[in-house]
Amino acid sequence: MDAFPAFFPLAGRKVVIAGSGEPAEAKLRLLESSPAELVRVEGPQAQLPGAYAGAVLVFIADPDEAFCRGAHAAAKAARALVNVADRPELCDFTTPAVVDRGEVVAAIGTGGASPMLATMLRNDIEQRVPEGTGRIAALFRRFQDDVRSRFPELHARRAFLRDALSSAAAEAARTGDMDKAQQLFREALAKGPKAIGKIQLVSGLGPADLVTLRASRALAAADLLVIDPGCDPDILAMARRDAERADPEETSAEHMVALARDGRRVVRILARAPQPGEAQALAASGVTVEVLPVARG
């Protein structure tokens, strides 16, 4: 990872756009739906540090090289983070291609190397992230404290939220009926999660592009990863980064079964083919077991 992606909260924050012409207008269009205080500066004012006082981000876009360099020096004197269009050597950060769904934002960056590639990837992602997704995030934000209070244990909270993402409440939010969504969410919160855990056996042999959709989803939803040595690192990169990780030599079948009974998702990543009867032996303990191999052909 050559650059670390980060999201800056913009509510109540000041963002300055310095410059004139179409490049500056493009930056303005990028941010016009945000809750930030947008300040546009042009001409000699842009060369003064005071124009950037209190700004969290500064975008400079102008065809005049001298203007850009002078504005950059002034913004840096005001201790702002600066992006200068088409001048990567003057940038503290680059501007990604953005998929904007309100409270759900996806950003694709290439470090300034290929904006066209980032735009192409953004178009692909836009087709996969439906309108209304941001309203689901807004619903979850509305009940964030209630969920934490109701489920103080992290694994129980994850189980509830996992169910809630595919619930009738989420669908009502997606379609815009927020009153109904909130009512359904409150009802689900009162009932609690369906404590349905499982153990999933996933091939870690690779290559990663042969991993099935079901296996990639299992990796993304795992509470515990039990990983064989020698697994393909590209497959491991698909797993949740904050999931607990364990050595198979130190993790008994009984422990995995106990976690599954408690409603957790346990993913066993194998650097070998599943042993005969391995899944059946786990399933005999009364938990759901799935074998998710890579796709072949």
Side-chain angles (χ1 to χ4, degrees), residues 2-297:
D2 292 337
F4 182 75
F7 289 87
F8 287 84
L10 293 179
R13 312 295 286 276
K14 177 180 175 181
V15 176
V16 176
I17 300 169
S20 58
E22 176 55 27
E25 293 296 329
K27 298 298 185 186
L28 188 63
R29 289 194 295 271
L30 175 66
L31 291 156
E32 62 186 359
S33 65
S34 81
E37 174 196 354
L38 298 182
V39 177
R40 181 77 178 273
V41 296
E42 300 178 71
Q45 182 189 8
Q47 311 297 309
L48 303 175
Y52 308 100
V56 63
L57 299 174
V58 172
F59 295 87
I60 300 170
D62 196 279
D64 187 315
E65 178 75 16
F67 173 94
C68 289
R69 292 192 174 276
H72 173 265
K76 293 303 294 180
R79 300 182 181 277
L81 293 173
V82 183
N83 171 275
V84 184
D86 298 324
R87 295 167 179 84
E89 73 280 4
L90 298 180
C91 291
D92 296 315
F93 63 96
T94 57
T95 305
V98 174
V99 178
D100 185 358
R101 295 291 188 260
E103 294 208 24
V104 173
V105 177
I108 304 94
T110 62
S114 180
M116 288 297 295
L117 174 60
T119 299
M120 182 186 73
L121 294 172
R122 180 197 65 197
N123 292 340
D124 289 344
I125 293 173
E126 279 183 323
Q127 297 175 34
R128 297 171 181 268
V129 183
E131 292 289 344
T133 302
R135 288 191 289 270
I136 298 175
L139 175 69
F140 278 48
R141 180 189 292 275
R142 163 70 177 78
F143 288 98
Q144 193 171 49
D145 291 341
D146 300 274
V147 171
R148 289 180 182 275
S149 176
R150 175 72 170 82
F151 306 109
E153 292 185 344
L154 181 58
H155 76 275
R157 189 158 63 244
R158 285 175 178 162
F160 173 78
L161 293 173
R162 194 160 46 219
D163 289 344
L165 281 171
S166 57
S167 69
E171 179 59 21
R174 189 188 67 78
T175 58
D177 191 344
M178 296 304 290
D179 289 339
K180 181 180 179 181
Q182 291 185 31
Q183 177 188 343
L184 291 171
F185 199 97
R186 288 191 186 94
E187 292 173 359
L189 196 58
K191 294 177 183 176
K194 306 167 187 175
I196 302 175
K198 61 177 66 175
I199 300 173
Q200 295 166 299
L201 308 182
V202 173
S203 172
L205 294 173
D209 60 0
L210 292 180
V211 170
T212 64
L213 179 59
R214 288 181 66 195
S216 67
R217 286 176 173 170
L219 291 165
D223 293 307
L224 172 67
L225 301 163
V226 183
I227 307 168
D228 278 350
C231 288
D232 188 319
D234 290 335
I235 290 179
L236 300 183
M238 296 179 177
R240 275 187 48 225
R241 285 171 172 77
D242 58 344
E244 183 182 351
R245 302 192 176 207
D247 188 318
E249 296 296 327
E250 301 173 356
T251 309
S252 67
E254 290 78 12
H255 180 58
M256 291 191 292
V257 167
L259 291 175
R261 285 176 176 165
D262 196 35
R264 307 193 197 199
R265 300 282 183 94
V266 179
V267 176
R268 178 78 171 87
I269 307 178
L270 303 168
R272 54 172 174 77
Q275 297 175 359
E278 187 172 5
Q280 292 86 341
L282 289 168
S285 300
V287 299
T288 300
V289 178
E290 296 177 346
V291 180
L292 305 174
V294 295
R296 294 295 181 189

